[in-house]
Amino acid sequence: MTTNTERFEAPPRSRRRQTLNKVPEVTIYFWIIKILCTTVGETAADFLNTNLNLGLTNTTYVMGGLLLITLFFQFRSKKYVPGVYWLAVVLISVVGTLVTDNLTDNFGIALATTTVIFAVVLAATFGAWYASEKTLSIHTIYTTRREAFYWLAILFTFALGTAAGDLTAEKLNVGYWLSAVIFGGLIAVVAVAHLGFKLNAVLAFWIAYILTRPFGASLGDYLSQAHGDGGLGLGTVGTSAIFLVLILSLVVYLTVTRRDETAPQQ
């Protein structure tokens, strides 16, 4: 699914000279890396929390600090830089998972409740973004305020997706594999609605973006969890390593080819 049909709202000429669009063009590479990042977010959080015995609190502090550092460089950049952008997505995927896990494990808030909470918070973020900027298009992320709204929305999509994925796979006993199939099917429905029935491009993009999180989380759990728990038993280390290598390979490819850069407006 792409959003090339969106109307590009050109910034003022002085702004265009200073800052290009700060996010990648939505291509097949975008969706592949996004799903890989969501899977890493699930498995890496489990690895740091359990295998390294950092615990949820310490893991949250460490990954939150790394995310803030990466976002500092992302905001400082005047254009889309694949390495910085996708590192931020990987880290925000981990942090989004940890936010939900903290609420569930440390504060005892039910997954059904966190799912509703993050859905409301995400809707409020979109509402504030649209009220301020009159658009939710990712083709127009060329100001600091729009970028702030963008990354805040990304964080809440990951937190919401984690809660919804865990709720479906674990609490509702659907299982990891079937959960991945369900959410993958929903993504396909959105793609068909956009391409075949002209569902609004911005709306289709954000719905698909939200759904890729529980899809990737369910896929990550299926690959990493033990056979007795309904998984393939690859472990969090093996699964994280495989997906990180794939992400790195694609990011290097995009850095060299620049195939996902948004063409500047004249």
Side-chain angles (χ1 to χ4, degrees), residues 24 30 33-34 37 80 82-90 251 254 260:
F30 178 94
I33 300 175
K34 167 59 168 61
C37 288
Y80 161 63
V84 177
Y85 174 87
W86 287 112
L87 177 59
V89 173
V90 170
V251 170
L254 292 175
D260 62 341

Side-chain angles (χ1 to χ4, degrees), residues 62-102:
V62 171
M63 300 310 295
L66 292 175
L67 174 60
L68 289 176
I69 294 172
T70 304
L71 286 178
F72 171 79
F73 288 104
Q74 169 66 23
F75 275 82
R76 291 274 296 177
S77 174
K78 296 297 183 182
K79 63 178 182 177
Y80 161 63
V81 179
V84 177
Y85 174 87
W86 287 112
L87 177 59
V89 173
V90 170
L91 292 173
I92 209 167
S93 175
V94 177
V95 171
T97 299
L98 292 169
V99 169
T100 298
D101 288 346
N102 270 284

Side-chain angles (χ1 to χ4, degrees), residues 11 29 38 96 111 114 166 224 258:
Y29 302 105
T38 62
L111 284 169
T114 57
D166 289 348
S224 63
R258 303 170 66 179

Side-chain angles (χ1 to χ4, degrees), residues 1-2 7 20 23 39 51 62 81 132 144 161 164 187 197 202 254:
M1 179 189 311
T2 66
R7 182 176 179 179
L20 300 176
V23 302
T39 304
N51 295 63
V62 171
V81 179
S132 172
T144 299
I187 294 170
F197 299 94
V202 176
L254 292 175

